[in-house]
Amino acid sequence: MMKSTFQPAWPQLSDLKTANGNELTARTVYCVGRNFAEHASEMNSPIPEEPLIFTKPIGSLVVGAEATVQLPTQSNEVHHEVEWVVALDRGGKNISKNEAWDYVAGWGVGIDLTARDLQSAAKKTGKPWAVSKGFDGFGPVSRFAPKPTSFFPKHLEDYELELTVNGQTRQQDKLSSMLFTLPELIHYLSTLFTLRPGDILFTGTPAGVSQVQAGDQCRAVLMSNTGELESHLDVKITVAK
């Protein structure tokens, strides 16, 4: 019997356009580790002197207001990590901090799911821990909100991330607690890689990461500086079939 051919559809970034007005398709998923001091402390890790960058495979990305994530059979300890997620609408190299906001198409809220047991085992043996971050569906993100035409970056400092599991708050902090600001992250990334339209950046998680179980209902939200709901994401955790 012949196997069916798998033809993947690259995720479209809802409601976002390129600088030329075309539909924005997801490309590379960049992530930042330990960008909140209290999270670094709870992981018993030093605060980084420069951004700690890793990537997720495109298969981990799911875009929409709701998602269902299956726990992989390879792990017995999957953790949630709520994050502010930013998409770029143009590319470049060696982007200055002053120009970084010009490259932002919009943002949403996401969850960087992590197989913590696999990550810890990899760290102990000095091996890469990409597998712990890269299972299918391990990067769910809400619908993206376009960057406002009249936009003042300082307003974002009081935006707040929150994650609840079954109605109980587990993570909560303001974007102002990020060790490296978004312009700093975009600048740093662009000194290493040529950034492209559709690139996505998970900007780091606050303290409070903990394990999720099959049947859990996770809700990630990004609240504006006026207390209004900016982005939301509901994720149901299930067992692998």
Side-chain angles (χ1 to χ4, degrees), residues 170-189:
R170 292 195 182 177
Q171 291 183 270
Q172 190 172 36
D173 207 341
K174 292 185 177 181
L175 299 186
S176 57
S177 296
M178 289 168 54
L179 297 172
F180 300 101
T181 66
L182 183 63
E184 289 172 330
L185 294 174
I186 292 175
H187 166 70
Y188 181 78
L189 275 171

Side-chain angles (χ1 to χ4, degrees), residues 84-88 104-108 144 182 186 199-203:
W84 180 38
V85 183
V86 176
L88 306 184
V104 174
W107 50 75
F144 284 84
L182 183 63
I186 292 175
D199 282 351
I200 292 172
L201 180 56
F202 280 69
T203 59

Side-chain angles (χ1 to χ4, degrees), residues 124-214:
K124 289 178 181 178
T125 57
K127 296 179 180 179
W129 35 271
V131 170
S132 69
K133 297 280 190 175
F135 288 100
D136 289 350
F138 263 35
V141 181
S142 69
R143 295 181 64 86
F144 284 84
K147 181 180 67 177
T149 53
S150 56
F151 169 66
F152 300 95
K154 190 170 179 60
H155 290 173
L156 280 167
E157 293 179 1
D158 290 327
Y159 276 42
E160 187 171 76
L161 288 168
E162 182 183 62
L163 184 133
T164 61
V165 179
N166 303 325
Q168 296 186 339
T169 300
R170 292 195 182 177
Q171 291 183 270
Q172 190 172 36
D173 207 341
K174 292 185 177 181
L175 299 186
S176 57
S177 296
M178 289 168 54
L179 297 172
F180 300 101
T181 66
L182 183 63
E184 289 172 330
L185 294 174
I186 292 175
H187 166 70
Y188 181 78
L189 275 171
S190 72
T191 65
L192 302 173
F193 316 110
T194 299
L195 300 180
R196 311 282 182 178
D199 282 351
I200 292 172
L201 180 56
F202 280 69
T203 59
T205 193
V209 301
S210 59
Q211 188 171 0
V212 292
Q213 307 282 355

